[in-house]
Amino acid sequence: MPRIYFTFFLLFCTVIIVFYLNKVYVYEKILSQTSLWNTYSGGETRTIFQDPNIFLRQNVRTHIGDISFLEFREELYKKYGYDLTIPTYPFVTVQSKYVMNCTWEFSDWLEQQKKRSSRRPRAYIPDGEQRDFLMNKYSGVSYKYTDDRKKLNITYKSWDNIADIVTWHARDVLRLVDNMSGISMHYAMKHYYLAGKRGLILASDHPIVEVQAIQNGASRILSVGQVSRETNDISSLSLTEFANQHGRYSQSFDFVATYGTIESVGLGRYGDVLDAFGDLQMMAMLGCSLKKGGLFFLGIPIGRDAVIFNQKRIYGHARLPMLIAGFEWIGTFGEDFQASTEITGPEIDRLHKFDHMKRTLVLRKL
Ligand SMILES: *[C@@H]1O[C@H](CO)[C@@H](O)[C@H](O)[C@H]1NC(C)=O
Ligand SMILES: *[C@@H]1O[C@H](CO)[C@@H](O)[C@H](O)[C@H]1NC(C)=O
Ligand SMILES: *[C@@H]1O[C@H](CO)[C@@H](O)[C@H](O)[C@H]1NC(C)=O
């Protein structure tokens, strides 16, 4: 009898030792790897990334080579007033060191508008501002120029036909721009059911997002940023009027939505004032008008961080976390699936330099 116990005991010890060695070995192996982020696509590895020893050593690809999160933390986030708080995958979570002051955001924006001039938009980033536009060098840059000032004075016919357009099929609405990528906004709104909700929309040329919101049940929309018309469900304001009346709209909307617009704010293409942080400030202004817990539907290009001057920005590991600081990221929609999908490290890594994927992120205001 005792012999059997002894055998069991030996067996037990062996199992423990093997298990321990294995763990140490695996752990060491993982610790020494700096490219897990780009090769694993989630699951188990997420818990590994909770360990700062592993996580901060991970490298992600940028236009100037592979950069670790440790370097991002020290050379980028800290310098621009953010703390890296949670190693979320695949984009980290950062938090602004400053308490949001909505009054300041709007009055600063109005103050900056005084610099507006009627000269042609710039074709190059001014020398003194390279560093901020390129986020202390982590962003790539390429050039593609258009002068779209006249677009601001066009009232697209689609604004007059909204009553008709809302009766169209969701895919037909996107024929207005001849580009299906915006269907991700429709999928996102459908998933989060907007029935009876009031929304604020940052307008683009055609009232597509406005129509998508109405089709998905929104009861009332305020559209800001374009010269447009009133309809039964939609009213509109210029950005200046909106900023002047911000007190009236403070924390008053159930949701905010914008597709394909935020990435060009501050690049001067529409005659707007050049501002390296224009997109971040616009995000803050829209966020200030959103109720706590309200949803922000954000359609942006995602890839390796870049500025395509004066067209748009591409959001990657460096800037995306700063753009969505203060929100919880709860859903991601692409053009291929009606359901929420996830963006993975390898997916971002596979993209070529200035390539990007358009996604609608769903964020919840904290
Ligand atoms: C917010 O900014 C405004 C305008 O700059 C300022 O008057 C006010 O004191 C600030 N509020 C807080 C809480 O810092
Ligand atoms: C747009 O219209 C405004 C006022 O009607 C005018 O002052 C401005 O020059 C116009 N801009 C362009 C680019 O045509
Ligand atoms: C559709 O929009 C995406 C993102 O803005 C762009 O990359 C793509 O080239 C567009 N496609 C067409 C056919 O215009």
Side-chain angles (χ1 to χ4, degrees), residues 283-299:
M283 192 79 191
M285 286 161 59
L286 296 172
C288 283
S289 310
L290 185 59
K291 287 180 184 167
K292 199 160 187 252
L295 298 185
F296 198 128
F297 297 90
L298 176 66

mmCIF file with all atom_site columns, all heavy atoms in Angstrom, residues 283-299:
data_model
loop_
_atom_site.group_PDB
_atom_site.id
_atom_site.type_symbol
_atom_site.label_atom_id
_atom_site.label_alt_id
_atom_site.label_comp_id
_atom_site.label_asym_id
_atom_site.label_entity_id
_atom_site.label_seq_id
_atom_site.pdbx_PDB_ins_code
_atom_site.Cartn_x
_atom_site.Cartn_y
_atom_site.Cartn_z
_atom_site.occupancy
_atom_site.B_iso_or_equiv
_atom_site.pdbx_formal_charge
_atom_site.auth_seq_id
_atom_site.auth_comp_id
_atom_site.auth_asym_id
_atom_site.auth_atom_id
_atom_site.pdbx_PDB_model_num
ATOM 1   N N   . MET A 1 283 ? -12.917 66.383 -32.240 1.00 0.00 ? 283 MET A N   1
ATOM 2   C CA  . MET A 1 283 ? -13.406 65.222 -31.493 1.00 0.00 ? 283 MET A CA  1
ATOM 3   C C   . MET A 1 283 ? -13.860 65.652 -30.095 1.00 0.00 ? 283 MET A C   1
ATOM 4   O O   . MET A 1 283 ? -14.908 65.221 -29.604 1.00 0.00 ? 283 MET A O   1
ATOM 5   C CB  . MET A 1 283 ? -12.242 64.228 -31.404 1.00 0.00 ? 283 MET A CB  1
ATOM 6   C CG  . MET A 1 283 ? -12.583 62.869 -30.943 1.00 0.00 ? 283 MET A CG  1
ATOM 7   S SD  . MET A 1 283 ? -13.312 61.890 -32.252 1.00 0.00 ? 283 MET A SD  1
ATOM 8   C CE  . MET A 1 283 ? -13.859 60.512 -31.249 1.00 0.00 ? 283 MET A CE  1
ATOM 9   N N   . ALA A 1 284 ? -13.051 66.531 -29.472 1.00 0.00 ? 284 ALA A N   1
ATOM 10  C CA  . ALA A 1 284 ? -13.385 67.010 -28.134 1.00 0.00 ? 284 ALA A CA  1
ATOM 11  C C   . ALA A 1 284 ? -14.678 67.823 -28.170 1.00 0.00 ? 284 ALA A C   1
ATOM 12  O O   . ALA A 1 284 ? -15.555 67.653 -27.321 1.00 0.00 ? 284 ALA A O   1
ATOM 13  C CB  . ALA A 1 284 ? -12.244 67.857 -27.576 1.00 0.00 ? 284 ALA A CB  1
ATOM 14  N N   . MET A 1 285 ? -14.814 68.701 -29.176 1.00 0.00 ? 285 MET A N   1
ATOM 15  C CA  . MET A 1 285 ? -16.008 69.535 -29.262 1.00 0.00 ? 285 MET A CA  1
ATOM 16  C C   . MET A 1 285 ? -17.261 68.695 -29.455 1.00 0.00 ? 285 MET A C   1
ATOM 17  O O   . MET A 1 285 ? -18.297 68.937 -28.832 1.00 0.00 ? 285 MET A O   1
ATOM 18  C CB  . MET A 1 285 ? -15.856 70.541 -30.415 1.00 0.00 ? 285 MET A CB  1
ATOM 19  C CG  . MET A 1 285 ? -14.897 71.678 -30.087 1.00 0.00 ? 285 MET A CG  1
ATOM 20  S SD  . MET A 1 285 ? -14.272 72.570 -31.553 1.00 0.00 ? 285 MET A SD  1
ATOM 21  C CE  . MET A 1 285 ? -15.756 73.177 -32.310 1.00 0.00 ? 285 MET A CE  1
ATOM 22  N N   . LEU A 1 286 ? -17.165 67.689 -30.309 1.00 0.00 ? 286 LEU A N   1
ATOM 23  C CA  . LEU A 1 286 ? -18.325 66.817 -30.523 1.00 0.00 ? 286 LEU A CA  1
ATOM 24  C C   . LEU A 1 286 ? -18.630 66.020 -29.254 1.00 0.00 ? 286 LEU A C   1
ATOM 25  O O   . LEU A 1 286 ? -19.783 65.871 -28.859 1.00 0.00 ? 286 LEU A O   1
ATOM 26  C CB  . LEU A 1 286 ? -18.072 65.873 -31.703 1.00 0.00 ? 286 LEU A CB  1
ATOM 27  C CG  . LEU A 1 286 ? -17.899 66.537 -33.072 1.00 0.00 ? 286 LEU A CG  1
ATOM 28  C CD1 . LEU A 1 286 ? -17.460 65.514 -34.112 1.00 0.00 ? 286 LEU A CD1 1
ATOM 29  C CD2 . LEU A 1 286 ? -19.183 67.224 -33.521 1.00 0.00 ? 286 LEU A CD2 1
ATOM 30  N N   . GLY A 1 287 ? -17.559 65.550 -28.619 1.00 0.00 ? 287 GLY A N   1
ATOM 31  C CA  . GLY A 1 287 ? -17.719 64.768 -27.390 1.00 0.00 ? 287 GLY A CA  1
ATOM 32  C C   . GLY A 1 287 ? -18.380 65.574 -26.278 1.00 0.00 ? 287 GLY A C   1
ATOM 33  O O   . GLY A 1 287 ? -19.144 65.044 -25.481 1.00 0.00 ? 287 GLY A O   1
ATOM 34  N N   . CYS A 1 288 ? -18.092 66.878 -26.228 1.00 0.00 ? 288 CYS A N   1
ATOM 35  C CA  . CYS A 1 288 ? -18.664 67.747 -25.191 1.00 0.00 ? 288 CYS A CA  1
ATOM 36  C C   . CYS A 1 288 ? -20.185 67.826 -25.313 1.00 0.00 ? 288 CYS A C   1
ATOM 37  O O   . CYS A 1 288 ? -20.882 68.097 -24.344 1.00 0.00 ? 288 CYS A O   1
ATOM 38  C CB  . CYS A 1 288 ? -18.086 69.158 -25.291 1.00 0.00 ? 288 CYS A CB  1
ATOM 39  S SG  . CYS A 1 288 ? -16.421 69.285 -24.612 1.00 0.00 ? 288 CYS A SG  1
ATOM 40  N N   . SER A 1 289 ? -20.702 67.622 -26.525 1.00 0.00 ? 289 SER A N   1
ATOM 41  C CA  . SER A 1 289 ? -22.138 67.751 -26.750 1.00 0.00 ? 289 SER A CA  1
ATOM 42  C C   . SER A 1 289 ? -22.859 66.424 -26.550 1.00 0.00 ? 289 SER A C   1
ATOM 43  O O   . SER A 1 289 ? -24.072 66.341 -26.692 1.00 0.00 ? 289 SER A O   1
ATOM 44  C CB  . SER A 1 289 ? -22.394 68.247 -28.174 1.00 0.00 ? 289 SER A CB  1
ATOM 45  O OG  . SER A 1 289 ? -21.591 69.375 -28.428 1.00 0.00 ? 289 SER A OG  1
ATOM 46  N N   . LEU A 1 290 ? -22.083 65.395 -26.254 1.00 0.00 ? 290 LEU A N   1
ATOM 47  C CA  . LEU A 1 290 ? -22.638 64.045 -26.106 1.00 0.00 ? 290 LEU A CA  1
ATOM 48  C C   . LEU A 1 290 ? -22.934 63.771 -24.630 1.00 0.00 ? 290 LEU A C   1
ATOM 49  O O   . LEU A 1 290 ? -22.150 64.142 -23.758 1.00 0.00 ? 290 LEU A O   1
ATOM 50  C CB  . LEU A 1 290 ? -21.597 63.046 -26.635 1.00 0.00 ? 290 LEU A CB  1
ATOM 51  C CG  . LEU A 1 290 ? -21.931 61.571 -26.718 1.00 0.00 ? 290 LEU A CG  1
ATOM 52  C CD1 . LEU A 1 290 ? -23.140 61.324 -27.614 1.00 0.00 ? 290 LEU A CD1 1
ATOM 53  C CD2 . LEU A 1 290 ? -20.716 60.813 -27.252 1.00 0.00 ? 290 LEU A CD2 1
ATOM 54  N N   . LYS A 1 291 ? -24.070 63.123 -24.372 1.00 0.00 ? 291 LYS A N   1
ATOM 55  C CA  . LYS A 1 291 ? -24.395 62.748 -22.992 1.00 0.00 ? 291 LYS A CA  1
ATOM 56  C C   . LYS A 1 291 ? -23.371 61.744 -22.472 1.00 0.00 ? 291 LYS A C   1
ATOM 57  O O   . LYS A 1 291 ? -22.804 60.984 -23.256 1.00 0.00 ? 291 LYS A O   1
ATOM 58  C CB  . LYS A 1 291 ? -25.764 62.059 -22.943 1.00 0.00 ? 291 LYS A CB  1
ATOM 59  C CG  . LYS A 1 291 ? -26.939 62.970 -23.137 1.00 0.00 ? 291 LYS A CG  1
ATOM 60  C CD  . LYS A 1 291 ? -28.222 62.144 -23.068 1.00 0.00 ? 291 LYS A CD  1
ATOM 61  C CE  . LYS A 1 291 ? -29.420 63.022 -23.358 1.00 0.00 ? 291 LYS A CE  1
ATOM 62  N NZ  . LYS A 1 291 ? -30.627 62.236 -23.614 1.00 0.00 ? 291 LYS A NZ  1
ATOM 63  N N   . LYS A 1 292 ? -23.217 61.698 -21.184 1.00 0.00 ? 292 LYS A N   1
ATOM 64  C CA  . LYS A 1 292 ? -22.362 60.683 -20.593 1.00 0.00 ? 292 LYS A CA  1
ATOM 65  C C   . LYS A 1 292 ? -22.963 59.310 -20.926 1.00 0.00 ? 292 LYS A C   1
ATOM 66  O O   . LYS A 1 292 ? -24.172 59.135 -20.827 1.00 0.00 ? 292 LYS A O   1
ATOM 67  C CB  . LYS A 1 292 ? -22.322 60.884 -19.077 1.00 0.00 ? 292 LYS A CB  1
ATOM 68  C CG  . LYS A 1 292 ? -21.164 60.222 -18.427 1.00 0.00 ? 292 LYS A CG  1
ATOM 69  C CD  . LYS A 1 292 ? -20.865 60.824 -17.060 1.00 0.00 ? 292 LYS A CD  1
ATOM 70  C CE  . LYS A 1 292 ? -19.581 60.239 -16.538 1.00 0.00 ? 292 LYS A CE  1
ATOM 71  N NZ  . LYS A 1 292 ? -19.721 59.299 -15.452 1.00 0.00 ? 292 LYS A NZ  1
ATOM 72  N N   . GLY A 1 293 ? -22.134 58.390 -21.360 1.00 0.00 ? 293 GLY A N   1
ATOM 73  C CA  . GLY A 1 293 ? -22.645 57.066 -21.742 1.00 0.00 ? 293 GLY A CA  1
ATOM 74  C C   . GLY A 1 293 ? -23.183 57.025 -23.164 1.00 0.00 ? 293 GLY A C   1
ATOM 75  O O   . GLY A 1 293 ? -23.535 55.971 -23.670 1.00 0.00 ? 293 GLY A O   1
ATOM 76  N N   . GLY A 1 294 ? -23.243 58.181 -23.824 1.00 0.00 ? 294 GLY A N   1
ATOM 77  C CA  . GLY A 1 294 ? -23.731 58.246 -25.210 1.00 0.00 ? 294 GLY A CA  1
ATOM 78  C C   . GLY A 1 294 ? -22.741 57.620 -26.183 1.00 0.00 ? 294 GLY A C   1
ATOM 79  O O   . GLY A 1 294 ? -21.570 57.437 -25.855 1.00 0.00 ? 294 GLY A O   1
ATOM 80  N N   . LEU A 1 295 ? -23.226 57.301 -27.395 1.00 0.00 ? 295 LEU A N   1
ATOM 81  C CA  . LEU A 1 295 ? -22.380 56.609 -28.372 1.00 0.00 ? 295 LEU A CA  1
ATOM 82  C C   . LEU A 1 295 ? -21.813 57.563 -29.422 1.00 0.00 ? 295 LEU A C   1
ATOM 83  O O   . LEU A 1 295 ? -22.491 58.466 -29.887 1.00 0.00 ? 295 LEU A O   1
ATOM 84  C CB  . LEU A 1 295 ? -23.180 55.516 -29.078 1.00 0.00 ? 295 LEU A CB  1
ATOM 85  C CG  . LEU A 1 295 ? -23.726 54.391 -28.210 1.00 0.00 ? 295 LEU A CG  1
ATOM 86  C CD1 . LEU A 1 295 ? -24.384 53.327 -29.075 1.00 0.00 ? 295 LEU A CD1 1
ATOM 87  C CD2 . LEU A 1 295 ? -22.614 53.767 -27.357 1.00 0.00 ? 295 LEU A CD2 1
ATOM 88  N N   . PHE A 1 296 ? -20.567 57.329 -29.781 1.00 0.00 ? 296 PHE A N   1
ATOM 89  C CA  . PHE A 1 296 ? -19.890 58.109 -30.819 1.00 0.00 ? 296 PHE A CA  1
ATOM 90  C C   . PHE A 1 296 ? -19.567 57.154 -31.968 1.00 0.00 ? 296 PHE A C   1
ATOM 91  O O   . PHE A 1 296 ? -18.768 56.238 -31.805 1.00 0.00 ? 296 PHE A O   1
ATOM 92  C CB  . PHE A 1 296 ? -18.607 58.722 -30.232 1.00 0.00 ? 296 PHE A CB  1
ATOM 93  C CG  . PHE A 1 296 ? -18.061 59.872 -31.038 1.00 0.00 ? 296 PHE A CG  1
ATOM 94  C CD1 . PHE A 1 296 ? -17.770 61.090 -30.417 1.00 0.00 ? 296 PHE A CD1 1
ATOM 95  C CD2 . PHE A 1 296 ? -17.835 59.762 -32.397 1.00 0.00 ? 296 PHE A CD2 1
ATOM 96  C CE1 . PHE A 1 296 ? -17.267 62.172 -31.140 1.00 0.00 ? 296 PHE A CE1 1
ATOM 97  C CE2 . PHE A 1 296 ? -17.340 60.834 -33.138 1.00 0.00 ? 296 PHE A CE2 1
ATOM 98  C CZ  . PHE A 1 296 ? -17.055 62.043 -32.503 1.00 0.00 ? 296 PHE A CZ  1
ATOM 99  N N   . PHE A 1 297 ? -20.205 57.347 -33.116 1.00 0.00 ? 297 PHE A N   1
ATOM 100 C CA  . PHE A 1 297 ? -19.932 56.522 -34.300 1.00 0.00 ? 297 PHE A CA  1
ATOM 101 C C   . PHE A 1 297 ? -18.877 57.251 -35.127 1.00 0.00 ? 297 PHE A C   1
ATOM 102 O O   . PHE A 1 297 ? -19.153 58.315 -35.673 1.00 0.00 ? 297 PHE A O   1
ATOM 103 C CB  . PHE A 1 297 ? -21.199 56.342 -35.129 1.00 0.00 ? 297 PHE A CB  1
ATOM 104 C CG  . PHE A 1 297 ? -22.293 55.607 -34.411 1.00 0.00 ? 297 PHE A CG  1
ATOM 105 C CD1 . PHE A 1 297 ? -23.233 56.298 -33.655 1.00 0.00 ? 297 PHE A CD1 1
ATOM 106 C CD2 . PHE A 1 297 ? -22.390 54.223 -34.481 1.00 0.00 ? 297 PHE A CD2 1
ATOM 107 C CE1 . PHE A 1 297 ? -24.247 55.624 -32.981 1.00 0.00 ? 297 PHE A CE1 1
ATOM 108 C CE2 . PHE A 1 297 ? -23.401 53.535 -33.821 1.00 0.00 ? 297 PHE A CE2 1
ATOM 109 C CZ  . PHE A 1 297 ? -24.333 54.242 -33.065 1.00 0.00 ? 297 PHE A CZ  1
ATOM 110 N N   . LEU A 1 298 ? -17.705 56.664 -35.199 1.00 0.00 ? 298 LEU A N   1
ATOM 111 C CA  . LEU A 1 298 ? -16.571 57.367 -35.796 1.00 0.00 ? 298 LEU A CA  1
ATOM 112 C C   . LEU A 1 298 ? -16.018 56.596 -36.997 1.00 0.00 ? 298 LEU A C   1
ATOM 113 O O   . LEU A 1 298 ? -15.407 55.538 -36.841 1.00 0.00 ? 298 LEU A O   1
ATOM 114 C CB  . LEU A 1 298 ? -15.480 57.523 -34.716 1.00 0.00 ? 298 LEU A CB  1
ATOM 115 C CG  . LEU A 1 298 ? -14.154 58.137 -35.126 1.00 0.00 ? 298 LEU A CG  1
ATOM 116 C CD1 . LEU A 1 298 ? -14.337 59.604 -35.516 1.00 0.00 ? 298 LEU A CD1 1
ATOM 117 C CD2 . LEU A 1 298 ? -13.140 58.043 -33.973 1.00 0.00 ? 298 LEU A CD2 1
ATOM 118 N N   . GLY A 1 299 ? -16.237 57.139 -38.191 1.00 0.00 ? 299 GLY A N   1
ATOM 119 C CA  . GLY A 1 299 ? -15.733 56.477 -39.401 1.00 0.00 ? 299 GLY A CA  1
ATOM 120 C C   . GLY A 1 299 ? -14.429 57.098 -39.838 1.00 0.00 ? 299 GLY A C   1
ATOM 121 O O   . GLY A 1 299 ? -14.393 58.253 -40.252 1.00 0.00 ? 299 GLY A O   1
#
